[in-house]
Amino acid sequence: MNVVPEVAALVPEIRSWRHHIHAHPETAFEEKATSAFVADKLRSFGLDVHAGLAGTGVVGVLKSGRGNGAIGLRADLDALHIHEKSGVAHASKVEGKMHACGHDGHTAMLLGAAAALAQRRDFDGTVYFIFQPAEENEGGGRAMVEEGLFDRFPMRAVYGMHNWPLMPVGKIATRVGPLMGAFDIFEIIAIGKGAHAAMPNTGKDPMLFAAHAISALQTIVARNLHPLESGVVSVTQVHGGDTWNVIPEEVVLRGTARSFDARVQDLIEHRIRTIVAGTAAMFEMSATVRYERRYPATVNAETETAHAIAAASAVVGAANVDADPTPNMGSEDFAFMLNAKPGCYVWLGAGRGPQTPNVHNPHYDFNDDALPIGTSYWVTLVGQQLGA
Ligand SMILES: [Zn+2]
Ligand SMILES: [Zn+2]
């Protein structure tokens, strides 16, 4: 393990920042205190600080030498609406909110990298430290891109990182092409005709629609997708009916679809619409579909992935870098940055063994053992990419 010496010296501080952020979680676009904390720290390291992009987003700028090269490193600021059950000393002080995805660790590591690089200044060019709001569900990354992130801060590439509790500390994984899935949501509303449940012949039962539609939707992946392509269609909510003896008028189904490329995404949406229309016709009722594309797939560029693998290998050793992990159908709004700019997103091993709670679990806590590794990865990547 090659922890950068300046990073090793900073670890106690990085850990204390992480614990502070963890204890004070803020959710999408409300990360005011977290954003102010980050801006203060960056200023104290001597960086130029630009606050207010996408509301609570912050960009720190560190220049060294005369070079024109520039890269961006990105972390996320937001927490989740989860009641924390970790039992750790630095547990959330905010009822119902929790850093259950480790964005506290991501923010602390990127701050640590800014502090270390401000000391080292062993590079020639500009590093943009990007702290984005609202990674969870609300697309803060998209908002930053739309508000001109890459116009205001021109860079040749952008890099992201997420802790990965399914992989042990000391390992890093990434791959060329898609690493995380596209995230779509759908809502289906079937409107039949309410009736006395003892006289079903006088109504049009939307429950029947729901039963058939849920089954038929599972044929999209099983029967319509090429066997070697990937997709997920999950119905996750069924709402309808209030009592035992009434056939309701309406049933609402909601769910999510995942995919790695736009062609599959188009196919899934098309088949959902066809199946819903056909099922409604079969039972002589009407049904509507709202299909919303939330996040695109997270797709790594070839050259930048090679750079990320080189930096990761320098820190954890080539044997501990997995350059072809199985992609995951979770999603990530860093995808919007990768759609606008070449770059690479990596998974940072954060597991403590098979019992480690995964992200979004109420018992989860970011693994502090990963702090020196993730921070050293950032510092090493800058040294290699903007080498003086
Ligand atoms: Zn998350
Ligand atoms: Zn996350």
Side-chain angles (χ1 to χ4, degrees):
M1 191 75 61
N2 285 311
V3 172
V4 172
E6 288 83 353
V7 171
L10 281 163
V11 165
E13 254 190 299
I14 298 172
R15 191 189 304 122
S16 76
W17 301 334
R18 209 279 287 176
H19 292 184
H20 172 81
I21 298 167
H22 189 92
H24 303 93
E26 296 174 302
T27 48
F29 291 121
E30 292 169 0
E31 308 92 338
K32 290 193 172 65
T34 313
S35 171
F37 179 85
V38 164
D40 279 356
K41 289 286 171 234
L42 293 174
R43 279 190 203 101
S44 77
F45 311 147
L47 274 70
D48 276 345
V49 175
H50 302 259
L53 203 67
T56 44
V58 179
V59 178
V61 183
L62 182 64
K63 286 183 197 289
S64 178
R66 292 160 174 270
N68 291 324
I71 61 171
L73 314 177
R74 168 274 199 180
D76 34 17
L77 299 166
D78 58 320
L80 283 153
H81 291 280
I82 294 178
H83 183 81
E84 179 158 1
K85 293 182 183 165
S86 70
V88 296
H90 53 272
S92 172
K93 296 186 192 304
V94 184
E95 180 67 29
K97 294 187 183 183
M98 171 189 181
H99 269 292
C101 205
H103 300 182
D104 50 340
H106 303 164
T107 296
M109 289 189 290
L110 193 55
L111 283 175
L117 284 161
Q119 290 172 24
R120 287 166 70 93
R121 295 194 184 261
D122 60 341
F123 62 95
D124 189 27
T126 304
V127 185
Y128 296 111
F129 298 86
I130 304 164
F131 296 85
Q132 72 146 86
E135 191 286 319
E136 304 282 359
N137 296 313
E138 305 305 330
R142 166 195 248 160
M144 279 190 113
V145 173
E146 286 174 356
E147 290 188 22
L149 173 68
F150 296 123
D151 304 321
R152 287 179 61 184
F153 308 102
M155 60 191 83
R156 68 176 184 229
V158 65
Y159 293 87
M161 181 202 295
H162 206 291
N163 78 102
W164 207 246
L166 301 172
M167 197 169 63
V169 170
K171 295 198 182 292
I172 295 177
T174 189
R175 69 192 289 279
V176 175
L179 187 62
M180 308 281 292
F183 159 42
D184 301 343
I185 57 166
F186 57 84
E187 180 181 71
I188 299 163
I189 302 177
I191 298 177
K193 185 180 171 201
H196 194 301
M199 303 166 212
N201 54 303
T202 64
K204 304 283 184 197
D205 186 356
M207 289 295 182
L208 210 52
F209 168 91
H212 283 259
I214 291 168
S215 297
L217 289 170
Q218 291 312 312
T219 65
I220 298 174
V221 173
R223 302 287 81 168
N224 301 133
L225 230 60
H226 187 286
L228 297 180
E229 283 183 319
S230 310
V232 177
V233 177
S234 294
V235 176
T236 57
Q237 298 180 45
V238 182
H239 299 279
D242 296 301
T243 188
W244 286 273
N245 56 354
V246 173
I247 290 171
E249 184 97 358
E250 181 181 297
V251 165
V252 179
L253 309 178
R254 296 197 187 101
T256 183
R258 307 293 171 114
S259 55
F260 289 126
D261 74 72
R263 233 172 5 85
V264 172
Q265 204 174 15
D266 290 345
L267 174 75
I268 290 174
E269 178 177 352
H270 167 72
R271 286 299 298 157
I272 288 178
R273 292 188 184 282
T274 306
I275 286 168
V276 166
T279 310
M282 181 162 78
F283 295 118
E284 298 178 314
M285 62 185 71
S286 64
T288 56
V289 178
R290 181 168 68 85
Y291 192 95
E292 201 178 298
R293 298 179 186 215
R294 303 297 293 266
Y295 292 1
T298 302
V299 183
N300 286 331
E302 197 169 338
T303 305
E304 285 69 25
T305 303
H307 296 334
I309 288 170
S313 301
V315 177
V316 297
N320 290 312
V321 178
D322 182 354
D324 191 21
T326 304
N328 187 285
M329 282 293 187
S331 67
E332 169 53 80
D333 89 340
F334 184 62
F336 289 105
M337 296 191 190
L338 288 181
N339 272 2
K341 200 51 77 175
C344 180
Y345 179 81
V346 304
W347 290 334
L348 175 69
R352 301 182 176 89
Q355 301 307 317
T356 312
N358 201 1
V359 292
H360 293 209
N361 181 295
H363 299 280
Y364 167 90
D365 182 37
F366 182 91
N367 188 344
D368 285 334
D369 293 345
L371 291 173
I373 302 168
T375 312
S376 294
Y377 165 76
W378 284 140
V379 173
T380 305
L381 180 69
V382 169
Q384 290 182 350
Q385 288 309 302
L386 301 174

